[in-house]
PDB file of all heavy atoms in Angstrom:
ATOM      1  N   ALA A 187      -0.643  59.263 142.817  1.00  0.00           N
ATOM      2  CA  ALA A 187      -0.754  60.426 143.705  1.00  0.00           C
ATOM      3  C   ALA A 187      -1.909  60.252 144.689  1.00  0.00           C
ATOM      4  O   ALA A 187      -1.790  60.613 145.868  1.00  0.00           O
ATOM      5  CB  ALA A 187      -0.946  61.694 142.873  1.00  0.00           C
ATOM      6  N   ILE A 188      -3.026  59.690 144.220  1.00  0.00           N
ATOM      7  CA  ILE A 188      -4.168  59.465 145.117  1.00  0.00           C
ATOM      8  C   ILE A 188      -3.811  58.444 146.193  1.00  0.00           C
ATOM      9  O   ILE A 188      -4.145  58.609 147.369  1.00  0.00           O
ATOM     10  CB  ILE A 188      -5.389  59.002 144.300  1.00  0.00           C
ATOM     11  CG1 ILE A 188      -5.905  60.154 143.436  1.00  0.00           C
ATOM     12  CG2 ILE A 188      -6.499  58.501 145.228  1.00  0.00           C
ATOM     13  CD1 ILE A 188      -7.006  59.753 142.464  1.00  0.00           C
ATOM     14  N   ASP A 189      -3.128  57.391 145.797  1.00  0.00           N
ATOM     15  CA  ASP A 189      -2.709  56.379 146.778  1.00  0.00           C
ATOM     16  C   ASP A 189      -1.767  56.969 147.824  1.00  0.00           C
ATOM     17  O   ASP A 189      -1.768  56.547 148.983  1.00  0.00           O
ATOM     18  CB  ASP A 189      -2.012  55.205 146.071  1.00  0.00           C
ATOM     19  CG  ASP A 189      -2.976  54.410 145.205  1.00  0.00           C
ATOM     20  OD1 ASP A 189      -4.193  54.508 145.434  1.00  0.00           O
ATOM     21  OD2 ASP A 189      -2.506  53.717 144.286  1.00  0.00           O
ATOM     22  N   HIS A 190      -0.971  57.955 147.409  1.00  0.00           N
ATOM     23  CA  HIS A 190       0.041  58.519 148.309  1.00  0.00           C
ATOM     24  C   HIS A 190      -0.506  59.655 149.168  1.00  0.00           C
ATOM     25  O   HIS A 190      -0.136  59.781 150.339  1.00  0.00           O
ATOM     26  CB  HIS A 190       1.224  59.031 147.485  1.00  0.00           C
ATOM     27  CG  HIS A 190       2.378  59.506 148.302  1.00  0.00           C
ATOM     28  ND1 HIS A 190       3.207  58.654 149.000  1.00  0.00           N
ATOM     29  CD2 HIS A 190       2.866  60.764 148.531  1.00  0.00           C
ATOM     30  CE1 HIS A 190       4.146  59.344 149.625  1.00  0.00           C
ATOM     31  NE2 HIS A 190       3.959  60.634 149.360  1.00  0.00           N
ATOM     32  N   ALA A 191      -1.394  60.494 148.572  1.00  0.00           N
ATOM     33  CA  ALA A 191      -1.830  61.696 149.286  1.00  0.00           C
ATOM     34  C   ALA A 191      -3.338  61.883 149.335  1.00  0.00           C
ATOM     35  O   ALA A 191      -3.797  62.828 149.973  1.00  0.00           O
ATOM     36  CB  ALA A 191      -1.186  62.941 148.652  1.00  0.00           C
ATOM     37  N   GLY A 192      -4.099  61.020 148.675  1.00  0.00           N
ATOM     38  CA  GLY A 192      -5.548  61.156 148.707  1.00  0.00           C
ATOM     39  C   GLY A 192      -6.075  62.055 147.594  1.00  0.00           C
ATOM     40  O   GLY A 192      -5.327  62.835 146.997  1.00  0.00           O
ATOM     41  N   ARG A 193      -7.379  61.953 147.329  1.00  0.00           N
ATOM     42  CA  ARG A 193      -7.996  62.743 146.264  1.00  0.00           C
ATOM     43  C   ARG A 193      -7.980  64.236 146.573  1.00  0.00           C
ATOM     44  O   ARG A 193      -7.802  65.063 145.676  1.00  0.00           O
ATOM     45  CB  ARG A 193      -9.439  62.285 146.033  1.00  0.00           C
ATOM     46  CG  ARG A 193      -9.563  60.913 145.405  1.00  0.00           C
ATOM     47  CD  ARG A 193     -11.006  60.559 145.106  1.00  0.00           C
ATOM     48  NE  ARG A 193     -11.095  59.230 144.516  1.00  0.00           N
ATOM     49  CZ  ARG A 193     -10.978  58.979 143.212  1.00  0.00           C
ATOM     50  NH1 ARG A 193     -10.799  59.980 142.370  1.00  0.00           N
ATOM     51  NH2 ARG A 193     -11.065  57.747 142.753  1.00  0.00           N
ATOM     52  N   GLN A 194      -8.157  64.598 147.817  1.00  0.00           N
ATOM     53  CA  GLN A 194      -8.196  66.018 148.165  1.00  0.00           C
ATOM     54  C   GLN A 194      -6.848  66.679 147.897  1.00  0.00           C
ATOM     55  O   GLN A 194      -6.778  67.797 147.384  1.00  0.00           O
ATOM     56  CB  GLN A 194      -8.591  66.198 149.630  1.00  0.00           C
ATOM     57  CG  GLN A 194      -8.781  67.659 150.033  1.00  0.00           C
ATOM     58  CD  GLN A 194      -9.311  67.795 151.452  1.00  0.00           C
ATOM     59  OE1 GLN A 194      -9.572  66.802 152.123  1.00  0.00           O
ATOM     60  NE2 GLN A 194      -9.480  69.035 151.898  1.00  0.00           N
ATOM     61  N   GLY A 195      -5.782  65.970 148.248  1.00  0.00           N
ATOM     62  CA  GLY A 195      -4.458  66.524 147.997  1.00  0.00           C
ATOM     63  C   GLY A 195      -4.186  66.686 146.521  1.00  0.00           C
ATOM     64  O   GLY A 195      -3.625  67.700 146.082  1.00  0.00           O
ATOM     65  N   LEU A 196      -4.581  65.705 145.708  1.00  0.00           N
ATOM     66  CA  LEU A 196      -4.378  65.813 144.263  1.00  0.00           C
ATOM     67  C   LEU A 196      -5.223  66.927 143.674  1.00  0.00           C
ATOM     68  O   LEU A 196      -4.751  67.678 142.808  1.00  0.00           O
ATOM     69  CB  LEU A 196      -4.711  64.479 143.592  1.00  0.00           C
ATOM     70  CG  LEU A 196      -4.595  64.460 142.061  1.00  0.00           C
ATOM     71  CD1 LEU A 196      -3.189  64.812 141.617  1.00  0.00           C
ATOM     72  CD2 LEU A 196      -5.011  63.109 141.508  1.00  0.00           C
ATOM     73  N   ALA A 197      -6.462  67.066 144.130  1.00  0.00           N
ATOM     74  CA  ALA A 197      -7.332  68.123 143.616  1.00  0.00           C
ATOM     75  C   ALA A 197      -6.738  69.505 143.899  1.00  0.00           C
ATOM     76  O   ALA A 197      -6.709  70.379 143.025  1.00  0.00           O
ATOM     77  CB  ALA A 197      -8.719  68.009 144.238  1.00  0.00           C
ATOM     78  N   ALA A 198      -6.255  69.708 145.105  1.00  0.00           N
ATOM     79  CA  ALA A 198      -5.639  70.993 145.450  1.00  0.00           C
ATOM     80  C   ALA A 198      -4.384  71.236 144.620  1.00  0.00           C
ATOM     81  O   ALA A 198      -4.110  72.363 144.192  1.00  0.00           O
ATOM     82  CB  ALA A 198      -5.312  71.024 146.939  1.00  0.00           C
ATOM     83  N   ALA A 199      -3.617  70.174 144.368  1.00  0.00           N
ATOM     84  CA  ALA A 199      -2.392  70.322 143.571  1.00  0.00           C
ATOM     85  C   ALA A 199      -2.723  70.682 142.127  1.00  0.00           C
ATOM     86  O   ALA A 199      -2.038  71.506 141.510  1.00  0.00           O
ATOM     87  CB  ALA A 199      -1.589  69.027 143.627  1.00  0.00           C
ATOM     88  N   LEU A 200      -3.777  70.091 141.572  1.00  0.00           N
ATOM     89  CA  LEU A 200      -4.176  70.414 140.205  1.00  0.00           C
ATOM     90  C   LEU A 200      -4.613  71.868 140.084  1.00  0.00           C
ATOM     91  O   LEU A 200      -4.307  72.541 139.088  1.00  0.00           O
ATOM     92  CB  LEU A 200      -5.313  69.500 139.751  1.00  0.00           C
ATOM     93  CG  LEU A 200      -4.949  68.083 139.321  1.00  0.00           C
ATOM     94  CD1 LEU A 200      -6.203  67.276 139.019  1.00  0.00           C
ATOM     95  CD2 LEU A 200      -4.041  68.127 138.096  1.00  0.00           C
ATOM     96  N   LEU A 201      -5.314  72.371 141.079  1.00  0.00           N
ATOM     97  CA  LEU A 201      -5.745  73.766 141.040  1.00  0.00           C
ATOM     98  C   LEU A 201      -4.568  74.727 141.111  1.00  0.00           C
ATOM     99  O   LEU A 201      -4.601  75.812 140.533  1.00  0.00           O
ATOM    100  CB  LEU A 201      -6.711  74.050 142.204  1.00  0.00           C
ATOM    101  CG  LEU A 201      -8.088  73.391 142.109  1.00  0.00           C
ATOM    102  CD1 LEU A 201      -8.880  73.646 143.382  1.00  0.00           C
ATOM    103  CD2 LEU A 201      -8.851  73.913 140.895  1.00  0.00           C
ATOM    104  N   ALA A 202      -3.524  74.321 141.809  1.00  0.00           N
ATOM    105  CA  ALA A 202      -2.381  75.217 141.998  1.00  0.00           C
ATOM    106  C   ALA A 202      -1.324  75.085 140.920  1.00  0.00           C
ATOM    107  O   ALA A 202      -0.415  75.909 140.836  1.00  0.00           O
ATOM    108  CB  ALA A 202      -1.728  74.938 143.364  1.00  0.00           C
ATOM    109  N   ALA A 203      -1.428  74.044 140.074  1.00  0.00           N
ATOM    110  CA  ALA A 203      -0.350  73.745 139.135  1.00  0.00           C
ATOM    111  C   ALA A 203      -0.353  74.710 137.960  1.00  0.00           C
ATOM    112  O   ALA A 203      -1.376  75.262 137.571  1.00  0.00           O
ATOM    113  CB  ALA A 203      -0.467  72.310 138.635  1.00  0.00           C
ATOM    114  N   ALA A 204       0.836  74.886 137.387  1.00  0.00           N
ATOM    115  CA  ALA A 204       1.015  75.658 136.154  1.00  0.00           C
ATOM    116  C   ALA A 204       1.725  74.783 135.140  1.00  0.00           C
ATOM    117  O   ALA A 204       2.177  73.684 135.445  1.00  0.00           O
ATOM    118  CB  ALA A 204       1.838  76.926 136.431  1.00  0.00           C
ATOM    119  N   GLN A 205       1.836  75.280 133.904  1.00  0.00           N
ATOM    120  CA  GLN A 205       2.519  74.521 132.864  1.00  0.00           C
ATOM    121  C   GLN A 205       4.034  74.579 133.076  1.00  0.00           C
ATOM    122  O   GLN A 205       4.558  75.528 133.658  1.00  0.00           O
ATOM    123  CB  GLN A 205       2.182  75.099 131.486  1.00  0.00           C
ATOM    124  CG  GLN A 205       0.735  74.870 131.085  1.00  0.00           C
ATOM    125  CD  GLN A 205       0.402  73.404 130.926  1.00  0.00           C
ATOM    126  OE1 GLN A 205       1.191  72.638 130.394  1.00  0.00           O
ATOM    127  NE2 GLN A 205      -0.755  73.008 131.411  1.00  0.00           N
ATOM    128  N   PRO A 206       4.767  73.545 132.600  1.00  0.00           N
ATOM    129  CA  PRO A 206       6.231  73.577 132.717  1.00  0.00           C
ATOM    130  C   PRO A 206       6.816  74.786 132.005  1.00  0.00           C
ATOM    131  O   PRO A 206       6.270  75.254 130.997  1.00  0.00           O
ATOM    132  CB  PRO A 206       6.663  72.268 132.027  1.00  0.00           C
ATOM    133  CG  PRO A 206       5.462  71.391 132.088  1.00  0.00           C
ATOM    134  CD  PRO A 206       4.284  72.310 131.999  1.00  0.00           C
ATOM    135  N   PRO A 207       7.938  75.326 132.497  1.00  0.00           N
ATOM    136  CA  PRO A 207       8.525  76.514 131.880  1.00  0.00           C
ATOM    137  C   PRO A 207       9.243  76.236 130.571  1.00  0.00           C
ATOM    138  O   PRO A 207       9.678  77.166 129.901  1.00  0.00           O
ATOM    139  CB  PRO A 207       9.523  76.995 132.952  1.00  0.00           C
ATOM    140  CG  PRO A 207       9.879  75.756 133.714  1.00  0.00           C
ATOM    141  CD  PRO A 207       8.644  74.904 133.720  1.00  0.00           C
ATOM    142  N   VAL A 208       9.426  74.971 130.208  1.00  0.00           N
ATOM    143  CA  VAL A 208      10.047  74.631 128.927  1.00  0.00           C
ATOM    144  C   VAL A 208       9.111  73.681 128.191  1.00  0.00           C
ATOM    145  O   VAL A 208       8.257  73.033 128.773  1.00  0.00           O
ATOM    146  CB  VAL A 208      11.426  73.962 129.111  1.00  0.00           C
ATOM    147  CG1 VAL A 208      12.387  74.921 129.773  1.00  0.00           C
ATOM    148  CG2 VAL A 208      11.304  72.675 129.922  1.00  0.00           C
ATOM    149  N   ALA A 209       9.299  73.609 126.873  1.00  0.00           N
ATOM    150  CA  ALA A 209       8.461  72.734 126.055  1.00  0.00           C
ATOM    151  C   ALA A 209       8.999  71.307 126.119  1.00  0.00           C
ATOM    152  O   ALA A 209       9.658  70.828 125.207  1.00  0.00           O
ATOM    153  CB  ALA A 209       8.441  73.232 124.607  1.00  0.00           C
ATOM    154  N   VAL A 210       8.729  70.644 127.227  1.00  0.00           N
ATOM    155  CA  VAL A 210       9.208  69.279 127.404  1.00  0.00           C
ATOM    156  C   VAL A 210       8.343  68.344 126.567  1.00  0.00           C
ATOM    157  O   VAL A 210       7.130  68.289 126.761  1.00  0.00           O
ATOM    158  CB  VAL A 210       9.138  68.859 128.889  1.00  0.00           C
ATOM    159  CG1 VAL A 210       9.696  67.458 129.073  1.00  0.00           C
ATOM    160  CG2 VAL A 210       9.911  69.853 129.741  1.00  0.00           C
ATOM    161  N   PRO A 211       8.922  67.587 125.609  1.00  0.00           N
ATOM    162  CA  PRO A 211       8.108  66.717 124.764  1.00  0.00           C
ATOM    163  C   PRO A 211       7.333  65.690 125.556  1.00  0.00           C
ATOM    164  O   PRO A 211       6.322  65.180 125.099  1.00  0.00           O
ATOM    165  CB  PRO A 211       9.141  66.047 123.851  1.00  0.00           C
ATOM    166  CG  PRO A 211      10.320  66.945 123.862  1.00  0.00           C
ATOM    167  CD  PRO A 211      10.334  67.560 125.234  1.00  0.00           C
ATOM    168  N   ALA A 212       7.804  65.341 126.738  1.00  0.00           N
ATOM    169  CA  ALA A 212       7.135  64.298 127.515  1.00  0.00           C
ATOM    170  C   ALA A 212       5.925  64.812 128.263  1.00  0.00           C
ATOM    171  O   ALA A 212       5.176  64.038 128.837  1.00  0.00           O
ATOM    172  CB  ALA A 212       8.115  63.698 128.523  1.00  0.00           C
ATOM    173  N   MET A 213       5.717  66.139 128.314  1.00  0.00           N
ATOM    174  CA  MET A 213       4.653  66.678 129.140  1.00  0.00           C
ATOM    175  C   MET A 213       3.462  67.072 128.280  1.00  0.00           C
ATOM    176  O   MET A 213       3.596  67.594 127.189  1.00  0.00           O
ATOM    177  CB  MET A 213       5.162  67.905 129.899  1.00  0.00           C
ATOM    178  CG  MET A 213       6.356  67.615 130.772  1.00  0.00           C
ATOM    179  SD  MET A 213       6.072  66.301 131.965  1.00  0.00           S
ATOM    180  CE  MET A 213       4.767  67.032 132.945  1.00  0.00           C
ATOM    181  N   ALA A 214       2.280  66.804 128.780  1.00  0.00           N
ATOM    182  CA  ALA A 214       1.054  67.228 128.118  1.00  0.00           C
ATOM    183  C   ALA A 214      -0.046  67.275 129.166  1.00  0.00           C
ATOM    184  O   ALA A 214       0.071  66.669 130.225  1.00  0.00           O
ATOM    185  CB  ALA A 214       0.692  66.288 126.977  1.00  0.00           C
ATOM    186  N   GLY A 215      -1.132  67.999 128.842  1.00  0.00           N
ATOM    187  CA  GLY A 215      -2.134  68.241 129.856  1.00  0.00           C
ATOM    188  C   GLY A 215      -3.068  67.098 130.150  1.00  0.00           C
ATOM    189  O   GLY A 215      -3.073  66.541 131.228  1.00  0.00           O
ATOM    190  N   ALA A 216      -3.897  66.708 129.155  1.00  0.00           N
ATOM    191  CA  ALA A 216      -4.965  65.720 129.381  1.00  0.00           C
ATOM    192  C   ALA A 216      -5.812  66.140 130.575  1.00  0.00           C
ATOM    193  O   ALA A 216      -6.241  65.318 131.376  1.00  0.00           O
ATOM    194  CB  ALA A 216      -4.374  64.329 129.596  1.00  0.00           C
ATOM    195  N   THR A 217      -6.051  67.452 130.697  1.00  0.00           N
ATOM    196  CA  THR A 217      -6.691  67.994 131.896  1.00  0.00           C
ATOM    197  C   THR A 217      -8.103  67.457 132.086  1.00  0.00           C
ATOM    198  O   THR A 217      -8.484  67.065 133.204  1.00  0.00           O
ATOM    199  CB  THR A 217      -6.709  69.533 131.819  1.00  0.00           C
ATOM    200  OG1 THR A 217      -5.376  70.007 131.635  1.00  0.00           O
ATOM    201  CG2 THR A 217      -7.276  70.114 133.099  1.00  0.00           C
ATOM    202  N   GLU A 218      -8.895  67.437 131.014  1.00  0.00           N
ATOM    203  CA  GLU A 218     -10.286  67.001 131.153  1.00  0.00           C
ATOM    204  C   GLU A 218     -10.362  65.549 131.624  1.00  0.00           C
ATOM    205  O   GLU A 218     -11.180  65.204 132.473  1.00  0.00           O
ATOM    206  CB  GLU A 218     -11.007  67.166 129.812  1.00  0.00           C
ATOM    207  CG  GLU A 218     -11.176  68.624 129.385  1.00  0.00           C
ATOM    208  CD  GLU A 218     -11.930  68.747 128.089  1.00  0.00           C
ATOM    209  OE1 GLU A 218     -12.315  67.695 127.523  1.00  0.00           O
ATOM    210  OE2 GLU A 218     -12.136  69.880 127.624  1.00  0.00           O
ATOM    211  N   THR A 219      -9.526  64.693 131.063  1.00  0.00           N
ATOM    212  CA  THR A 219      -9.529  63.283 131.466  1.00  0.00           C
ATOM    213  C   THR A 219      -9.097  63.135 132.916  1.00  0.00           C
ATOM    214  O   THR A 219      -9.664  62.337 133.677  1.00  0.00           O
ATOM    215  CB  THR A 219      -8.596  62.467 130.556  1.00  0.00           C
ATOM    216  OG1 THR A 219      -9.027  62.602 129.199  1.00  0.00           O
ATOM    217  CG2 THR A 219      -8.610  60.996 130.937  1.00  0.00           C
ATOM    218  N   ARG A 220      -8.112  63.922 133.328  1.00  0.00           N
ATOM    219  CA  ARG A 220      -7.639  63.846 134.709  1.00  0.00           C
ATOM    220  C   ARG A 220      -8.724  64.299 135.692  1.00  0.00           C
ATOM    221  O   ARG A 220      -8.900  63.692 136.751  1.00  0.00           O
ATOM    222  CB  ARG A 220      -6.383  64.706 134.866  1.00  0.00           C
ATOM    223  CG  ARG A 220      -5.198  64.228 134.062  1.00  0.00           C
ATOM    224  CD  ARG A 220      -3.994  65.122 134.264  1.00  0.00           C
ATOM    225  NE  ARG A 220      -3.510  65.034 135.644  1.00  0.00           N
ATOM    226  CZ  ARG A 220      -2.536  65.809 136.115  1.00  0.00           C
ATOM    227  NH1 ARG A 220      -1.978  66.727 135.347  1.00  0.00           N
ATOM    228  NH2 ARG A 220      -2.140  65.667 137.365  1.00  0.00           N
ATOM    229  N   ILE A 221      -9.435  65.351 135.339  1.00  0.00           N
ATOM    230  CA  ILE A 221     -10.507  65.832 136.219  1.00  0.00           C
ATOM    231  C   ILE A 221     -11.619  64.793 136.321  1.00  0.00           C
ATOM    232  O   ILE A 221     -12.156  64.531 137.403  1.00  0.00           O
ATOM    233  CB  ILE A 221     -11.049  67.181 135.708  1.00  0.00           C
ATOM    234  CG1 ILE A 221      -9.970  68.270 135.846  1.00  0.00           C
ATOM    235  CG2 ILE A 221     -12.309  67.575 136.457  1.00  0.00           C
ATOM    236  CD1 ILE A 221     -10.368  69.600 135.274  1.00  0.00           C
ATOM    237  N   ALA A 222     -11.969  64.182 135.173  1.00  0.00           N
ATOM    238  CA  ALA A 222     -13.014  63.161 135.192  1.00  0.00           C
ATOM    239  C   ALA A 222     -12.602  61.986 136.071  1.00  0.00           C
ATOM    240  O   ALA A 222     -13.406  61.455 136.847  1.00  0.00           O
ATOM    241  CB  ALA A 222     -13.296  62.684 133.764  1.00  0.00           C
ATOM    242  N   HIS A 223     -11.337  61.598 135.982  1.00  0.00           N
ATOM    243  CA  HIS A 223     -10.847  60.496 136.817  1.00  0.00           C
ATOM    244  C   HIS A 223     -10.847  60.892 138.287  1.00  0.00           C
ATOM    245  O   HIS A 223     -11.204  60.092 139.164  1.00  0.00           O
ATOM    246  CB  HIS A 223      -9.440  60.097 136.374  1.00  0.00           C
ATOM    247  CG  HIS A 223      -8.781  59.109 137.278  1.00  0.00           C
ATOM    248  ND1 HIS A 223      -7.803  59.470 138.183  1.00  0.00           N
ATOM    249  CD2 HIS A 223      -8.970  57.782 137.442  1.00  0.00           C
ATOM    250  CE1 HIS A 223      -7.415  58.404 138.846  1.00  0.00           C
ATOM    251  NE2 HIS A 223      -8.089  57.371 138.417  1.00  0.00           N
ATOM    252  N   LEU A 224     -10.469  62.135 138.557  1.00  0.00           N
ATOM    253  CA  LEU A 224     -10.432  62.609 139.936  1.00  0.00           C
ATOM    254  C   LEU A 224     -11.827  62.623 140.556  1.00  0.00           C
ATOM    255  O   LEU A 224     -11.993  62.342 141.752  1.00  0.00           O
ATOM    256  CB  LEU A 224      -9.818  64.008 139.985  1.00  0.00           C
ATOM    257  CG  LEU A 224      -9.637  64.653 141.352  1.00  0.00           C
ATOM    258  CD1 LEU A 224      -8.720  63.809 142.224  1.00  0.00           C
ATOM    259  CD2 LEU A 224      -9.072  66.062 141.199  1.00  0.00           C
ATOM    260  N   LEU A 225     -12.832  62.915 139.728  1.00  0.00           N
ATOM    261  CA  LEU A 225     -14.210  62.954 140.216  1.00  0.00           C
ATOM    262  C   LEU A 225     -14.828  61.564 140.336  1.00  0.00           C
ATOM    263  O   LEU A 225     -15.979  61.421 140.738  1.00  0.00           O
ATOM    264  CB  LEU A 225     -15.074  63.806 139.283  1.00  0.00           C
ATOM    265  CG  LEU A 225     -14.729  65.307 139.247  1.00  0.00           C
ATOM    266  CD1 LEU A 225     -15.576  66.017 138.207  1.00  0.00           C
ATOM    267  CD2 LEU A 225     -14.909  65.940 140.624  1.00  0.00           C
TER     268      LEU A 225
END
Side-chain angles (χ1 to χ4, degrees):
I188 291 173
D189 292 340
H190 186 72
R193 290 184 181 273
Q194 185 174 358
L196 178 59
L200 282 175
L201 290 174
Q205 291 296 319
V208 297
V210 182
M213 302 304 297
T217 304
E218 293 182 0
T219 302
R220 295 180 66 186
I221 293 175
H223 172 257
L224 183 60
L225 294 175

